[in-house]
Amino acid sequence: MTEATAPIRARAAGAGWLAKLEGRISWILLGLAGLLLPLLDDSYIGVIAQRAYIYWVLSAGLNLVVGYAGQIAIGWVSMLTLGAYTTAALAAGNVGTPWPPYLALLASGVIGAVFGVIVGLPALRLRTFYFAMTTLGFATIVTQVALAWKDVTGGGVGTPGPTFPWPFDPGWGFYYFCFVLAALATWMTANIGASRYGRALVAIRDAEVAAEACGISKPALLMMVFLLAGALGGIAGGLFASLQSYITPDAFTFEMSVLFFIGILIGGRGSILGPALGTLILTVLPEFAAPLVQWSTFLYAALLLLIVLVIPGGIADLLDYKNRRPVPQPELLGRVLGTQGGNTLITLSGIELHFGGVRAIDGLDLEIRAGEVHGLIGPNGSGKTTTLNVISGYYRPQAGALRIDGADLAFEQPHVRAQWRIARTFQTPRLVGAASVLENVMIGGTVHGHGTFAESMLSLPRHRLDERVLEEAAMLALSSVGLESLAKVRADRLQHSELRFVEIARALMLRPACLMLDEPAAGLSAEEIRRLGGLIKAISRGGTAVLLVEHHADLIFDICDRVTVLNLGKVLAAGTPAEIRSHREVVSAYLGA
Ligand code: ADP
Ligand code: MG
């Protein structure tokens, strides 16, 4: 693998360190400003900065939930409330003996993590809007409990916030505490964002079905993210309690929750730097425009509207290098991805699937063999895509069995198909428009990583190895479909035909034993179809079983070893291309004269 990508890497290395510096310069400047701010010796500015850091600790985690995973967690202020009361109550000795403040802060992180997961659970079942409402409902409950549970929280009168002892004592000590924690939160979430987990989150957001087909399990991943976002929210709460020095339930307003949420949206979804700046701006702005504070809700809304209309991608879009329109130069196809061929055999027997009264598949038998291209043709609505969806585990048929090498495959578990190395593309390409072509292809290899979520968060060696291997494999897959020159381009800048090839490259990342293509030639020019044919043929020669759904008869008859014709969910004919071409019923019903 290393050898094959060497020329590509060498070309990229030239501009490598400069591009790296360019990517980091904003962070370096922000870090320097933060480190040197105490030189101003202005405690008022210091307090504003502390508030901004604390908010960012929460927003950094929330950013993974909202910006990356696309979950509308609008009431995340509840984590701040929980954390603030946990730290304050424990440190003040409202429950048992007083805890050391640092330990109390740690406890608020744990409480935040636990409740982050609890609040996040509904996201697995509820649609976006309803999930937003549950997070808001939870925030209200937390405030009500804080009001009622007087022994611990002091009720409406409140309770004193903790004072951290040396080295992070009030003043610049505490300032650096907040700064370091904000930097740490940034570092960890940026690591996640740039890892296979981050790409998987974005895939869940923008192309959920494709994410599942790549083997990504939404529940497991979302729970990790809710846990991290909850923990960071809880810790932010503990810091907030100390900053406020006295906390009452009305310190945690709906407006604050909206601030966190909007800060991320203004920053731009799927970015770390954008939301960090967004949160910073929203925290600092009201301080310098005090008379406007009573208008803040209105101003937030106006600002959001403006951003959505003028720069829909947020601040991040203005800074985004991937946002440049490429000059497409797809190289000739032909460099083939080495697949480790086996003798996989996939059999469908007696599959029946109806949607209400519609018999989409009506007793289908099919065999797909390694090293062969199996064409699946038929008029529109004859059940081709549905057959693919059954094989990829998306639907559960009412009758029949699906086996791979004799083993029964379960239905309705699309993400488990990746373990059997069954990959697919979609009739309408499903890609993450905001991610680069390379990142999109890397999503296809998510299941091959070995590092855990925590290892990625801390950027440990196994995570880095994962990333290197994944990137190399993705570049190889891209070269094999002739698109390596577009690796760094945003996927939504590509032409339709290019998207189809990117999807194939993503599917190749699984090193598929079986590859299913749903009308890959649709929308392609004659020349592109010719290249596609060569590519598919080469993939099957490597030992992969290919199931090809297609309308272009020429392509089917050129490259298929075997063809099955469907009509109304039933097999109308099956055989070699020559047999099908001369099959009377097929010719009269489908192929025409
Ligand atoms: P093809 O890919 O061969 O054009 P499909 O497999 O998409 O056809 O569809 C087969 C039949 O099943 C069509 O009549 C279609 O309307 C119906 N169908 C497919 N998916 C669904 C669904 N999710 N709900 C209801 N009907 C469906
Ligand atoms: Mg179809």
Side-chain angles (χ1 to χ4, degrees):
M1 235 179 236
T2 322
E3 252 170 54
T5 46
I8 306 159
R9 308 214 118 215
R11 244 179 290 152
W17 69 269
L18 205 82
K20 242 183 197 166
L21 189 71
E22 190 192 330
R24 289 190 185 158
I25 199 93
S26 331
W27 288 120
I28 295 172
L29 290 179
L30 269 180
L32 276 179
L35 276 177
L36 301 180
L37 193 73
L39 291 181
L40 290 180
D41 205 23
D42 183 329
S43 60
Y44 173 62
I45 291 181
V47 168
I48 299 174
Q50 285 166 27
R51 186 183 304 274
Y53 297 152
I54 292 171
Y55 286 177
W56 174 242
V57 170
L58 179 139
S59 290
L62 185 62
N63 186 26
L64 292 181
V65 173
V66 175
Y68 280 76
Q71 304 294 323
I72 307 183
I74 203 166
W76 214 243
V77 73
S78 56
M79 298 302 144
L80 195 82
T81 319
L82 277 170
Y85 275 109
T86 304
T87 309
L90 289 176
N94 297 356
V95 267
T97 49
W99 288 36
Y102 291 113
L103 205 60
L105 183 66
L106 212 60
S108 69
V110 174
I111 293 283
V114 170
F115 280 94
V117 170
I118 293 174
V119 177
L121 276 174
L124 303 181
R125 293 241 160 249
L126 296 181
R127 282 166 171 273
T128 47
F129 179 71
Y130 298 99
F131 175 63
M133 296 320 286
T134 60
T135 62
L136 265 185
F138 183 72
T140 313
I141 292 172
V142 171
T143 315
Q144 291 306 315
V145 170
L147 262 176
W149 200 6
K150 293 200 174 82
D151 301 345
V152 172
T153 65
V157 180
T159 192
T163 309
F164 291 98
W166 190 88
F168 301 121
D169 44 345
W172 295 114
F174 185 65
Y175 170 90
Y176 277 115
F177 194 33
C178 298
F179 176 72
V180 166
L181 287 177
L184 209 61
T186 309
W187 180 69
M188 291 193 309
T189 53
N191 282 340
I192 291 294
S195 73
R196 61 198 181 105
Y197 298 105
R199 284 188 298 273
L201 285 171
V202 175
I204 287 173
R205 184 191 75 196
D206 285 358
E208 186 171 343
V209 175
E212 283 178 331
C214 289
I216 294 164
S217 156
K218 175 177 167 180
L221 191 58
L222 278 191
M223 284 305 109
M224 290 308 290
V225 169
F226 279 120
L227 187 138
L228 179 59
L232 287 173
I235 293 203
L239 295 173
F240 183 75
S242 179
L243 180 74
Q244 291 290 90
S245 66
Y246 205 85
I247 53 169
T248 51
D250 52 9
F252 308 92
T253 57
F254 172 61
E255 245 162 63
M256 209 169 180
S257 217
V258 173
L259 181 147
F260 300 141
F261 192 75
I262 293 187
I264 290 168
L265 290 193
I266 289 178
R269 298 199 310 176
S271 153
I272 302 281
L273 181 60
L277 292 176
T279 306
L280 199 71
I281 292 170
L282 285 191
T283 318
V284 171
L285 215 55
E287 300 292 340
F288 294 105
L292 296 180
V293 166
Q294 48 181 327
W295 295 94
S296 58
T297 313
F298 171 76
L299 288 179
Y300 288 162
L303 195 58
L304 187 64
L305 201 66
L306 190 78
I307 294 268
V308 169
L309 291 178
V310 180
I311 29 169
I315 297 173
D317 239 19
L318 298 178
L319 310 168
D320 192 357
Y321 65 93
K322 283 179 299 199
N323 208 357
R324 294 173 195 154
R325 183 75 182 84
V327 186
Q329 303 173 309
E331 290 176 16
L332 270 176
L333 295 165
R335 274 190 67 195
V336 184
L337 189 67
T339 41
Q340 341 156 333
N343 17 12
T344 309
L345 176 70
I346 292 183
T347 49
L348 284 74
S349 40
I351 297 283
E352 278 177 33
L353 181 81
H354 13 106
F355 299 103
V358 180
R359 295 181 164 271
I361 308 183
D362 197 5
L364 174 65
D365 298 317
L366 194 68
E367 267 193 10
I368 312 163
R369 295 175 201 164
E372 285 189 1
V373 181
H374 194 129
L376 190 60
I377 64 176
N380 276 329
S382 56
K384 305 179 299 290
T385 297
T386 308
T387 303
L388 253 64
N389 282 334
V390 166
I391 300 175
S392 62
Y394 201 68
Y395 288 141
R396 175 188 299 280
Q398 278 85 12
L402 170 63
R403 296 194 181 83
I404 180 165
D405 297 334
D408 267 303
L409 284 175
F411 295 106
E412 280 180 332
Q413 291 189 325
H415 71 272
V416 179
R417 287 297 188 267
Q419 290 161 15
W420 291 97
R421 295 197 291 126
I422 297 177
R424 68 172 295 185
T425 65
F426 297 87
Q427 193 168 343
T428 320
R430 295 177 191 231
L431 292 158
V432 183
S436 74
V437 169
L438 183 66
E439 286 168 331
N440 266 291
V441 175
M442 286 168 80
I443 286 170
T446 302
V447 295
H448 293 318
H450 298 286
T452 61
F453 191 83
E455 280 173 296
S456 281
M457 185 171 82
L458 302 172
S459 190
L460 296 182
R462 241 178 8 157
H463 153 79
R464 295 187 205 190
L465 184 66
D466 274 351
E467 289 301 307
R468 260 204 317 278
V469 171
L470 254 180
E471 192 180 325
E472 231 164 73
M475 276 314 285
L476 188 64
L478 268 177
S479 326
S480 78
V481 301
L483 286 184
E484 78 270 26
S485 60
L486 298 182
K488 297 286 180 193
V489 175
R490 270 172 70 116
D492 57 9
R493 305 279 146 157
L494 264 56
Q495 294 170 0
H496 180 77
S497 58
E498 291 163 342
L499 295 179
R500 295 215 173 267
F501 285 105
V502 174
E503 268 212 324
I504 295 178
R506 181 179 66 192
L508 290 178
M509 289 293 283
L510 267 186
R511 287 175 229 125
C514 172
L515 175 63
M516 302 188 286
L517 305 166
D518 199 350
E519 303 198 15
L524 266 57
S525 69
E527 171 64 14
E528 285 165 334
I529 292 179
R530 205 181 56 72
R531 292 181 195 171
L532 175 71
L535 177 69
I536 296 174
K537 197 77 200 151
I539 291 171
S540 83
R541 277 210 206 93
T544 298
V546 177
L547 182 63
L548 172 65
V549 171
E550 199 33 83
H551 275 305
H552 288 77
D554 289 348
L555 180 66
I556 288 283
F557 293 128
D558 267 0
I559 66 170
C560 288
D561 299 287
R562 212 173 285 274
V563 179
T564 299
V565 188
L566 286 184
N567 193 28
L568 298 172
K570 281 195 173 79
V571 176
L572 178 66
T576 64
E579 286 165 359
I580 297 300
R581 218 200 288 253
S582 56
H583 192 285
R584 193 175 301 161
E585 264 177 277
V586 175
V587 173
S588 66
Y590 178 59
L591 292 177

